[in-house]
Amino acid sequence: MSPAATLVEALEPIRCEPSRSAVLLDIDGTLAPIVRHAADAHVPEATRSLLIEIAGRYRVVGCVSGRRAGTARQIVAIGTIAYVGNHGGELLRPRATSPEVNPDLAAWTVLVREFAARAYTSEHQRIRVRSEDKDTIAAFHWRGAPDEEAAAQAVQEIARQAEEEGFAVHWGRKVLEVRPPVMLDKGLGIEALLHGTEVDAAVYVGDDTTDLDAFRALRSLVDSGALSAAVCVAVSSDEAPPGLAAEADLTVDGPGGVRELLEALL
């Protein structure tokens, strides 16, 4: 059996009734290749064209990201689909002009920004640690720093300070996020997106640890009877966490493999 045929078979619970199915995808490392600077990320036009076609066929299509929902929409550049941003803290519905924000999260915005302003110093700038203001989350990146080991150690100190001050910290692929101590994950965002949509089956595609929450949320919805089927897809890479493939129903190879998966959904 060809790889394409295998994909079609695995996705049959989603493909069989598009009007009652959801297609949900992470962005960085999934739709868009990982790049040295996060601001340079983009979705290849071939992938974007497939996603537009899928959006016209399936009941719900959404991108689920650690970035702000508005930033995620800018990267994907499709206004007719939904965006779950800040790891579930924001929901930007199709064609909406502003996201719905978790009120518990929003209350911490000023405190997170004040911490980031104190913690991020000229020394961090010198060793090329980059800060990112994600509204209710502060991120510190060291991918591409001249000395990544030294930069990572400096970011470890930011994490220590954050935990001492009562913030939550989360480690991603060469990035630290300082978050409010509020329940926050992609699974909660997906549950909010799917609520009331009459979706019966869903596929989720992701490449990092935070995507495990999305896998688990979909399976919980199946267990509760809210969904009849869920397909969880891991995107492989040299930096993929080992537990991701173990919890997935199938694995595809990088953003190119994701493009093949999108083709199989049509």
Side-chain angles (χ1 to χ4, degrees):
M1 184 178 292
S2 71
T6 302
L7 268 177
V8 169
E9 181 180 278
L11 294 169
E12 185 57 27
I14 315 301
R15 298 176 71 253
C16 67
E17 197 171 355
S19 64
R20 294 185 61 83
S21 295
V23 178
L24 308 168
L25 307 106
D26 173 50
I27 298 176
D28 293 285
T30 299
L31 288 173
I34 293 291
V35 291
R36 186 169 184 173
H37 299 298
D40 296 332
H42 74 282
V43 176
E45 188 56 34
T47 303
R48 183 174 170 274
S49 296
L50 288 168
L51 198 55
I52 290 171
E53 192 171 350
I54 285 169
R57 183 174 301 190
Y58 285 82
R59 181 73 168 224
V60 173
V61 176
C63 291
V64 185
S65 178
R67 296 177 185 262
R68 296 177 68 174
T71 302
R73 178 187 275 178
Q74 289 172 359
I75 293 170
V76 179
I78 302 174
T80 57
I81 66 175
Y83 295 87
V84 174
N86 272 348
H87 301 289
E90 297 180 342
L91 173 56
L92 184 59
R93 298 187 187 274
R95 300 183 179 86
T97 57
S98 59
E100 301 163 21
V101 180
N102 179 327
D104 292 334
L105 194 64
W108 281 81
T109 299
V110 172
L111 294 175
V112 169
R113 285 178 168 166
E114 287 177 348
F115 171 81
R118 292 196 312 274
Y120 184 65
T121 67
S122 58
E123 175 61 15
H124 293 111
Q125 295 179 47
R126 186 187 69 78
I127 62 176
R128 306 290 177 82
V129 172
R130 301 181 304 282
S131 67
E132 179 186 3
D133 180 359
K134 297 168 68 174
D135 195 33
T136 53
I137 296 174
F140 303 90
H141 303 262
W142 68 91
R143 181 183 298 277
D147 185 342
E148 287 194 344
E149 184 176 349
Q153 290 176 355
V155 172
Q156 286 275 2
E157 177 60 22
I158 293 177
R160 185 192 64 76
Q161 293 176 42
E163 289 181 319
E164 285 185 352
E165 294 189 29
F167 296 98
V169 301
H170 176 82
W171 297 95
R173 292 169 64 171
K174 298 188 179 181
V175 60
L176 164 72
E177 290 185 341
V178 176
R179 304 176 175 181
V182 173
M183 181 63 74
L184 184 68
D185 66 56
K186 290 182 176 181
L188 294 174
I190 285 173
E191 290 174 2
L193 172 61
L194 296 183
H195 181 72
T197 59
E198 299 183 0
V199 161
D200 191 51
V203 57
Y204 184 87
V205 190
D207 75 311
D208 206 351
T209 304
T210 57
D211 298 306
L212 290 171
D213 293 320
F215 287 2
R216 294 163 187 165
L218 288 186
R219 289 182 174 136
S220 178
L221 290 172
V222 171
D223 291 343
S224 70
L227 293 178
S228 65
V231 179
C232 300
V233 183
V235 182
S236 65
S237 73
D238 292 341
E239 297 179 0
L244 191 69
E247 291 201 31
D249 298 307
L250 69 149
T251 301
V252 297
D253 187 15
V258 175
R259 190 157 51 247
E260 293 174 1
L261 180 145
L262 294 177
E263 290 171 346
L265 285 168
L266 294 171

